[in-house]
Amino acid sequence: MSDQVRLRDVELADLEVFFAQEQDPESARRSNFPPRERDAFMAHWTTKVLGDPTVFVQAVTVDGVPAGNLVAWWDEDRRFIGYWLGREHWGKGVGTRALGLFLEREKARPLHADPFLGNIGSVRLLEKHGFRRTETVWYGENEHIMLVLDEDR
């Protein structure tokens, strides 16, 4: 296996992979994001992600096989990014390579990300790509770190 990481447009068949990845208990714990029921997941992806022309989404592949996704979207006047990788790809440099490729294509700056405080791997990944911590934000009882990639990056 060459572990070649690439990005491509999301295909409808990828949604099955993304759904299975979201159901992984360890992924849900680290992201502090509860898995959605199948119908809610598919409705979100088909209408709010793939159906919104302001959203930029790419499938991450490793040796041609779907490994996760990266998404950029607007929340009022701020552009955010998020991503999800299957657990089998953690710690192998896939996220680092994929995020680097994504940032070459997603040109909006500043770019925001707000990972759960306990998701140390995600925070490190963002900081490795030049995101800087700006504040702590709370979603209910959950503490998140707001990171920003500035306009000069």
Side-chain angles (χ1 to χ4, degrees):
M1 184 157 122
S2 72
D3 291 332
Q4 184 161 23
V5 177
R6 295 192 185 274
L7 300 181
R8 64 164 169 74
D9 290 339
V10 171
E11 300 167 358
L12 287 178
D14 296 332
L15 300 185
E16 295 297 334
V17 174
F18 302 163
F19 176 72
Q21 290 171 340
E22 186 175 290
Q23 302 305 303
D24 175 59
E26 181 61 13
S27 295
R29 185 189 71 75
R30 286 193 186 192
S31 65
N32 197 37
F33 188 85
R36 291 170 278 206
E37 302 255 343
R38 180 178 176 64
D39 289 345
F41 178 90
M42 293 300 174
H44 173 80
W45 268 87
T46 56
T47 61
K48 294 194 177 199
V49 179
L50 298 176
D52 183 341
T54 69
V55 171
F56 177 56
V57 59
Q58 294 283 274
V60 177
T61 64
V62 176
D63 295 330
V65 178
N69 62 78
L70 291 118
V71 183
W73 70 94
W74 288 101
D75 184 357
E76 297 182 9
D77 62 343
R78 295 194 298 181
R79 188 81 166 162
F80 277 84
I81 64 161
Y83 42 83
W84 202 285
L85 290 175
R87 188 180 349 171
E88 66 274 20
H89 302 288
W90 296 356
K92 298 179 179 178
V94 173
T96 299
R97 179 72 179 132
L99 183 54
L101 292 169
F102 189 80
L103 293 173
E104 290 174 7
R105 297 177 185 185
E106 172 57 53
K107 300 297 186 186
R109 302 291 187 273
L111 197 54
H112 299 80
D114 57 354
F116 174 58
L117 176 69
N119 193 343
I120 297 166
S122 186
V123 173
R124 285 183 185 156
L125 173 63
L126 291 160
E127 289 177 332
K128 185 183 291 188
H129 284 281
F131 283 77
R132 63 179 176 77
R133 296 176 191 218
T134 60
E135 63 182 313
T136 298
V137 293
W138 291 86
Y139 300 113
E141 298 177 1
N142 300 306
E143 187 176 0
H144 291 247
I145 299 171
M146 184 66 68
L147 296 110
V148 176
L149 185 64
D150 292 310
E151 293 183 29
D152 60 345
R153 297 293 203 137

